Amino acid sequence: MKRLETAAVTALAAAFALAGCERDTGSSAQNTSGTPRDTSRIPRYTSDNPRYSIQEFLGTTTYGGGAFSPDNEKILVSSDQTGVFNAYAIPVDGGEPVQLTHSSEAPIRAVSYFPNDERFLYQGGPGGNVHLYVWELDGTSVDLTPGVGHQAAFHSWSKDRRYFYVATNERDAQAMDLYEYSAADYGRELIFENRGGYGTMIVSPDRRYIALSKTVSNADSDVYVYDRESEVAGLITPEEGDVYCVPQDFSPDGSLLYYTTNLDNEFTYVERYDLRMFQPAVVIQTDWDVVYARFSNTGRYFMYAINNDGRQELRLFDGATSEPVRLPTVPDAQISWVGFSDDDSRMHFYATGSRIPRDLYVYDLDGSEPRRLTRSLNANIDADQLVEGEVVRFESYDGVEIPGILYKPHGVGPAQKAPAVIWVHGGPGGQSRIVYNGLIQYLVYNGYVVYAINHRGSTGYGKTFYHMDDHMHGDADLDDCVASKQMLIETGYVDPERIGIIGGSYGGYMVLAALAFRPQEFAVGVDLFGTSNWLRTVQSIPAWWGAQRGALQRELGDFDDEAFFKAKSPLFHADKIVRPLMVLQGANDPRVLKAESDEIVEALRSNGVPVEYLVFDDEGHGFVRRENQERGYVAVLEFLEQHLRGETGEGPGG
């Protein structure tokens, strides 16, 4: 979602994301087209060898998070190497990950070791509830946030590591309150009762202040500082005008609050507010958005990251002198996530690129070379057989420059033009970045040009670009997708008659909108978990979104305006769709209800439009099980082979 940096919207963003984290060997996929699907035949259309299956492209191991053990000799991570995310310990000197938890159903997200022993915190829980647990030294676990129907999220440790902070909405479904827990006996105290619709919460090193964010709209967010002594929250950022501000971190002595803002600027930059002098000052300003900024655990280092044209770039400085600190480099990759040991002697980070899934490294801050601890890419795949994404821009229908990432198959050229698909990211307001994507690489490997468009309304390109699609979803942003076809044609290696569109979540909506509102533009569409009826979607937003519901409404449109949302909803214009469509849907999707896909598929079939529909009984909003991904993505390729490449001889359009 667009810049809604709160605990509630962290979960919101996860709900709108296409790829989930849990994977399981059990699955149940229904092919409702009525024809049994042979998933053993996986067509490939590249002359290069070896030839890889979807199982190999998806056979990567995903790692996430990271926290050093008290002796700095291990890193606690989450990994799906068994098929479901569990907690693992990875030795910093190399060696196989040691599995610590053994969930076979609900995914577990490892959070942190305790400061003086190897107890650790993790998040998880069945049935959509997310609780915080302690894994004890004897292998038992303690639920720190028991109850039913609420969410919990770990925030941080106190500077002295005697306490940790947890937000839950157990008191009020629409508000996340902040609790301080004792690391010794797990006793807790409510330190901030959230009755003002606040989001991000950061506790100062001296535990006196809590930095808060309050979202007014998708263009306006304020920063407050709550004083635990006076029990007053004071506004420290401009109240007038649309300015988006988000708290980032306190200085080590607690006297300064660092936050990002876009006051009088296209891109977010870093300011700090002096809590004693009551004055702001600019700290960092670049030509791209600053994504985050924070200090290391002791304050020895200060770092920030920028979103440079779809790549994340990290900057590290001495916390006292502000002198730059040498960072390690990884060829053809970007550092995407960083953590420090408690004593700041070591750093761990993830590196990723188009051809490299996220891999974990450890780096001794004395300047030695980093050590690679994981190898996530399937060992059967030669990375040189994969394709590097290239940032390509084009001029859209009204002259606006639109960026995107182009993936060109090896060996493609003007002599034998290739089919292509426009890849539309989730959101609204997401961004396609230069990171590994198994489905994209699978399609490219099989001879499809893929253009991952960052249409107007995408994040990362300034606030003017970001707001260009407000109240114009499925219209202005859709016409960017249509305009990108000409750029593909002008490459000289794309067949003008064989350009389709594919997307998940909000991108799935864009696929349906393309076929309904621009019915002659794309040869086929592939919708993964996409909205067809905005009326139903906005009416089903859960209570715990709280104030963010209003911000989303100001971006999308008045939720009570039925005529407006009917005009945006492909379901009510399904009679316009004439091109073949494939729909993938999770039966348990809480965001895009199965009825939405059922209804548009039924409407198309009644009109005689070729449509293939796969329902996965054990999925929600996006794939979380590898077996389902394999079946779904094989089905996507076979659908494209038939209706876009025209392997049956029918040609584009089936």
Side-chain angles (χ1 to χ4, degrees), residues 355-405:
R355 299 179 295 119
I356 306 171
R358 286 186 6 146
D359 272 322
L360 180 66
Y361 291 74
V362 65
Y363 178 60
D364 292 330
L365 285 154
D366 58 9
S368 59
E369 289 302 311
R371 296 188 296 279
R372 183 178 182 179
L373 301 183
T374 65
R375 295 189 179 274
S376 301
L377 184 65
N378 190 319
N380 295 331
I381 292 181
D382 178 359
D384 289 338
Q385 298 285 330
L386 306 182
V387 170
E388 192 71 33
E390 175 190 3
V391 175
V392 172
R393 288 172 162 77
F394 67 94
E395 189 175 289
S396 193
Y397 59 93
D398 57 356
V400 173
E401 185 179 74
I402 304 296
I405 303 168

Side-chain angles (χ1 to χ4, degrees), residues 235-264:
L235 178 67
I236 67 167
T237 54
E239 185 173 12
E240 300 298 325
D242 287 340
V243 183
Y244 208 93
C245 305
V246 179
Q248 298 294 327
D249 202 1
F250 285 93
S251 61
D253 66 358
S255 66
L256 304 169
L257 174 62
Y258 290 73
Y259 56 92
T260 50
T261 179
N262 61 2
L263 176 65
D264 298 326

Side-chain angles (χ1 to χ4, degrees), residues 104-399:
S104 59
E105 294 294 335
I108 285 176
R109 185 173 76 84
V111 173
S112 173
Y113 281 111
F114 276 66
N116 299 315
D117 58 58
E118 292 190 8
R119 290 174 295 160
F120 62 87
L121 296 165
Y122 70 90
Q123 290 183 187
N129 296 314
V130 178
H131 290 195
L132 184 69
Y133 299 83
V134 176
W135 191 266
E136 300 282 8
L137 297 177
D138 63 2
T140 60
S141 63
V142 177
D143 187 350
L144 298 179
T145 53
V148 178
H150 63 263
Q151 309 290 320
F154 173 84
H155 270 243
S156 64
W157 284 93
S158 64
K159 185 176 181 179
D160 60 13
R161 296 301 193 260
R162 294 175 56 201
Y163 305 95
F164 56 91
Y165 304 103
V166 180
T168 86
N169 66 339
E170 59 193 76
R171 177 189 60 83
D172 181 347
Q174 299 187 58
M176 300 293 282
D177 296 331
L178 191 66
Y179 289 83
E180 183 178 72
Y181 280 74
S182 165
D185 60 12
Y186 313 147
R188 73 175 189 174
E189 176 189 354
L190 176 62
I191 63 171
F192 181 69
E193 188 172 293
N194 189 355
R195 294 189 178 275
Y198 298 102
T200 304
M201 304 177 194
I202 302 172
V203 182
S204 64
D206 60 6
R207 300 168 53 218
R208 176 177 173 177
Y209 298 108
I210 303 174
L212 306 166
S213 68
K214 188 171 186 178
T215 299
V216 179
S217 72
N218 68 327
D220 189 6
S221 179
D222 299 324
V223 174
Y224 290 76
V225 174
Y226 175 76
D227 187 337
R228 292 178 64 184
E229 292 183 0
S230 66
E231 298 185 345
V232 172
L235 178 67
I236 67 167
T237 54
E239 185 173 12
E240 300 298 325
D242 287 340
V243 183
Y244 208 93
C245 305
V246 179
Q248 298 294 327
D249 202 1
F250 285 93
S251 61
D253 66 358
S255 66
L256 304 169
L257 174 62
Y258 290 73
Y259 56 92
T260 50
T261 179
N262 61 2
L263 176 65
D264 298 326
N265 200 59
E266 273 296 309
F267 296 96
T268 57
Y269 58 96
V270 180
E271 280 191 341
R272 68 185 181 198
Y273 186 84
D274 191 318
L275 296 170
R276 298 166 183 168
M277 303 299 293
F278 311 110
Q279 291 180 343
V282 175
V283 179
I284 299 159
Q285 200 160 9
T286 76
D287 293 333
W288 296 97
D289 281 334
V290 176
V291 180
Y292 66 83
R294 64 182 176 90
F295 286 89
S296 60
N297 297 316
T298 69
R300 180 180 175 185
Y301 300 104
F302 178 77
M303 65 179 177
Y304 68 91
I306 62 173
N307 178 358
N308 185 345
D309 213 6
R311 295 179 176 88
Q312 182 160 295
E313 293 184 359
L314 183 69
R315 304 284 186 269
L316 187 65
F317 299 87
D318 185 289
T321 67
S322 299
E323 291 295 318
V325 175
R326 175 183 175 271
L327 276 169
T329 57
V330 179
D332 301 322
Q334 56 191 299
I335 295 176
S336 61
W337 196 89
V338 173
F340 292 86
S341 60
D342 277 355
D343 61 3
D344 282 345
S345 65
R346 282 180 163 167
M347 181 177 82
H348 59 75
F349 64 88
Y350 286 99
T352 184
S354 297
R355 299 179 295 119
I356 306 171
R358 286 186 6 146
D359 272 322
L360 180 66
Y361 291 74
V362 65
Y363 178 60
D364 292 330
L365 285 154
D366 58 9
S368 59
E369 289 302 311
R371 296 188 296 279
R372 183 178 182 179
L373 301 183
T374 65
R375 295 189 179 274
S376 301
L377 184 65
N378 190 319
N380 295 331
I381 292 181
D382 178 359
D384 289 338
Q385 298 285 330
L386 306 182
V387 170
E388 192 71 33
E390 175 190 3
V391 175
V392 172
R393 288 172 162 77
F394 67 94
E395 189 175 289
S396 193
Y397 59 93
D398 57 356

